[in-house]
Amino acid sequence: MYKFIIEGDRELNGSVRISGSKNAVLPILAATLLTNEQSVLHNVPDLADVKLMLEILEELGCKTSFANGTVVVKPIDISRTLASYELVSQMRASFCVLGPLLANRKRATVSLPGGCVIGVRPVDLHLKGMRELGAKIEIEHGYVHASADKLVGKRIFLGGNAGSTVTGTANVMMAAIFAEGTTIIEQAAPEPELESLAQFLTKMGAKIKGAGSHKIEIEGVENLTGTEFTIMPDRMEAATFAVAAAITHGDVTLTNVVPEHLFAVLEKLNEAGAEIDFSNNDEIRIIGKDIRPTDIVTFPYPGFPTDAQAPFVALLSVASGLSIVTDTIYPDRFMHVAEMNRMGANIRKQNNSAIITGVKALSGAPVMGSDLRATASLVLAGLVAKGTTEVHRIYHLDRGYEKMEVKLQKLGAQIERAEYTPRRRKSDRQAA
Ligand code: EPU
């Protein structure tokens, strides 16, 4: 396994190019199953999750290649319809192959993804949408078996108790591509990644209106063709580097970004004291100043994103006062709190909130990542902490941040990747 060793308390300065978006490319890769022709994607980030999705596409009979940011997918054996537990259980987004398989290959057997460390994460809304289009859905032995000789467009309400669903909207939108008539998804997720998926599908020949809003209309078409497409910039990588600039009192310009996607994050960063300049179209400059406390509540887009919650907890842990950060999307997504407290932070978790009393300084310590954004937040804490921080289990980070340590090094951080053999933890020994 690998860990990061960080010597903290250094300002970050310079510019960093933001990579292609993980959460945009994953459903787009699934969407390549909607055509029997070749798809070519550019600006694809080199991430563990992308490689896993390519493995799933191979399992589903596609030939794939990935070099220099370009992915080529060519379906060869379209009789394959099984996405196995071994692969799907490693990444929830892979459940997005269900809709395209059902639409284009008329049937699909896809493992249920299961829960994960950030919460229960059901897929009931994905299945509801497909049932309403006319699919027969059965769950047996941990697998979803879906089939339909013909799907028929319908008005579908896709809201759940926690609001809209991002990958659920993607899945149902893709399932409806060849449905007879018009499908209307009400309470659709309005995230920019879905707008980007709709742009890709439209380039392939789909007829979609309203993506990026709460109401998406899909008029069924006969077939889709292969196409070439460029993946949008990753707004969560951008948010993470923006916090890195602010937390280290640095001066960093993010390039290849869409400032509009980041308004809620930039607003809070500004409230927390950072100076922000986005007068250039695809750049944002962040100048770190004294860090002020602020309260944050996560919401679906365009609200403050749950994926930026952990990075902001790191930032506010060194603010000059009391902040409350509430996650309405994933109430249990606070695994980073205990690790940050090991670094001298003063954070209390209460229900779905972190109550943060800012401290003057964090002190470097060995800490452990638990999921993608929590691990990123520990790296951010390590960048500002006095002394050495070791962040273990960075395989979580490699799922969603392209060459994070190389980008941070270019900005002046002292961070190294080192191999280590994990020891059994005390709790494992007790359980054994
Ligand atoms: N939900 C349901 N039923 C469903 C689906 C979702 O009740 O069928 C609930 C969830 O439990 C949650 C809420 O709805 O409370 C929103 O979940 P959503 O389905 O929108 O999440 P997701 O599509 O599984 C995507 C991102 C996540 C991000 C969330 C929320 C991708 C590949 N993943 O997940 O990204 O946190 O939306 O914005 O797009 C990450 O990148 O670190 C990450 C976890």
Side-chain angles (χ1 to χ4, degrees):
M1 273 198 212
Y2 290 93
K3 63 183 172 185
F4 280 160
I5 305 172
I6 307 168
E7 294 300 327
D9 202 16
R10 282 174 171 70
E11 266 181 33
L12 298 193
N13 290 299
S15 83
V16 56
R17 186 186 183 279
I18 298 304
S19 300
S21 159
K22 167 181 85 78
N23 289 349
V25 76
L26 294 175
I28 285 175
L29 282 168
T32 63
L33 292 166
L34 282 163
T35 176
N36 300 338
E37 297 178 13
Q38 176 173 291
S39 305
V40 181
L41 305 174
H42 301 292
N43 198 35
V44 176
D46 188 358
L47 304 172
D49 275 8
V50 167
K51 289 176 182 148
L52 185 64
M53 196 58 153
L54 295 180
E55 258 188 78
I56 291 168
L57 293 180
E58 299 253 347
E59 182 175 52
L60 291 167
C62 301
K63 194 169 175 296
T64 69
S65 69
F66 186 12
N68 305 320
T70 296
V71 162
V72 181
V73 182
K74 171 91 177 93
I76 304 287
D77 179 359
I78 59 165
S79 67
R80 301 235 202 136
T81 53
L82 171 74
S84 65
Y85 173 76
E86 287 65 32
L87 297 177
V88 176
S89 60
Q90 294 182 45
M91 178 180 71
R92 289 187 55 84
S94 53
F95 196 66
C96 279
V97 298
L98 183 66
L101 286 176
L102 181 65
N104 199 27
R105 301 187 186 179
K106 313 276 185 223
R107 60 194 62 254
T109 302
V110 179
S111 170
L112 279 166
C116 73
V117 74
I118 68 174
V120 180
R121 305 186 80 187
V123 288
D124 55 315
L125 295 169
H126 300 230
L127 302 183
K128 172 185 180 230
M130 291 185 211
R131 278 199 180 103
E132 292 201 19
L133 289 171
K136 187 173 157 213
I137 307 267
E138 277 165 3
I139 296 175
E140 220 177 33
H141 308 303
Y143 278 84
V144 174
H145 300 268
S147 60
D149 287 332
K150 189 175 93 171
L151 295 172
V152 180
K154 210 184 154 200
R155 185 181 290 267
I156 299 169
F157 181 75
L158 218 52
N161 291 341
S164 50
T165 160
V166 179
T167 48
T169 302
N171 228 341
V172 176
M173 183 159 87
M174 292 190 280
I177 289 296
F178 305 132
E180 193 182 287
T182 305
T183 302
I184 298 174
I185 305 178
E186 300 277 7
Q187 183 78 43
E191 270 67 6
E193 291 76 12
L194 283 161
E195 205 179 340
S196 189
L197 170 65
Q199 283 161 359
F200 175 62
L201 293 168
T202 304
K203 250 192 130 186
M204 295 169 92
K207 290 196 173 153
I208 304 174
K209 282 198 290 200
S213 78
H214 283 299
K215 182 175 179 169
I216 303 179
E217 245 182 87
I218 305 127
E219 199 187 314
V221 294
E222 289 285 311
N223 77 315
L224 296 188
T225 57
T227 191
E228 217 166 318
F229 191 73
T230 299
I231 303 301
M232 62 179 261
D234 194 308
R235 62 193 171 101
M236 291 312 147
E237 189 197 15
T240 306
F241 276 89
V243 172
I247 203 170
T248 63
H249 295 84
D251 182 347
V252 173
T253 300
L254 314 177
T255 66
N256 186 43
V257 285
V258 183
E260 193 189 319
H261 292 168
L262 286 154
F263 281 157
V265 165
L266 298 177
E267 179 79 16
K268 283 294 164 189
L269 211 51
N270 189 236
E271 268 177 44
E275 238 177 73
I276 320 265
D277 176 3
F278 48 87
S279 46
N280 276 350
N281 265 349
D282 60 354
E283 289 188 5
I284 304 171
R285 181 175 172 199
I286 297 105
I287 305 167
K289 302 274 170 180
D290 288 345
I291 301 165
R292 294 196 298 253
T294 183
D295 293 341
I296 295 177
V297 182
T298 68
F299 278 108
Y301 188 82
F304 187 92
T306 170
D307 294 341
Q309 179 256 107
F312 269 75
V313 169
L315 177 70
L316 298 172
S317 75
V318 287
S320 58
L322 186 83
S323 308
I324 300 180
V325 177
T326 303
D327 199 325
T328 61
I329 317 273
Y330 296 118
D332 296 321
R333 196 180 199 178
F334 286 102
M335 302 288 279
H336 40 288
V337 164
E339 296 300 295
M340 282 180 202
N341 283 344
R342 300 190 62 255
M343 300 175 72
N346 182 355
I347 311 172
R348 190 160 52 86
K349 181 181 178 290
Q350 193 172 307
N351 302 321
N352 61 345
S353 297
I355 299 163
I356 308 164
T357 306
V359 294
K360 283 219 156 40
L362 297 176
S363 73
V367 287
M368 188 180 295
S370 52
D371 71 87
L372 174 59
R373 309 299 169 189
T375 313
S377 73
L378 296 176
V379 172
L380 294 169
L383 290 174
V384 72
K386 296 201 184 304
T388 310
T389 296
E390 290 193 2
V391 183
H392 295 80
R393 305 204 175 184
I394 54 168
Y395 57 83
H396 292 294
L397 259 184
D398 294 333
R399 293 186 55 179
Y401 290 89
E402 188 177 47
K403 300 188 181 74
M404 188 188 221
E405 76 278 24
V406 177
K407 290 186 177 187
L408 286 170
Q409 281 160 1
K410 281 193 189 142
L411 294 174
Q414 197 165 323
I415 176 169
E416 300 294 337
R417 180 182 286 259
E419 207 166 354
Y420 75 106
T421 309
R423 290 225 193 116
R424 282 174 74 200
R425 300 174 74 190
K426 198 174 160 204
S427 57
D428 296 340
R429 286 203 298 273
Q430 280 165 349

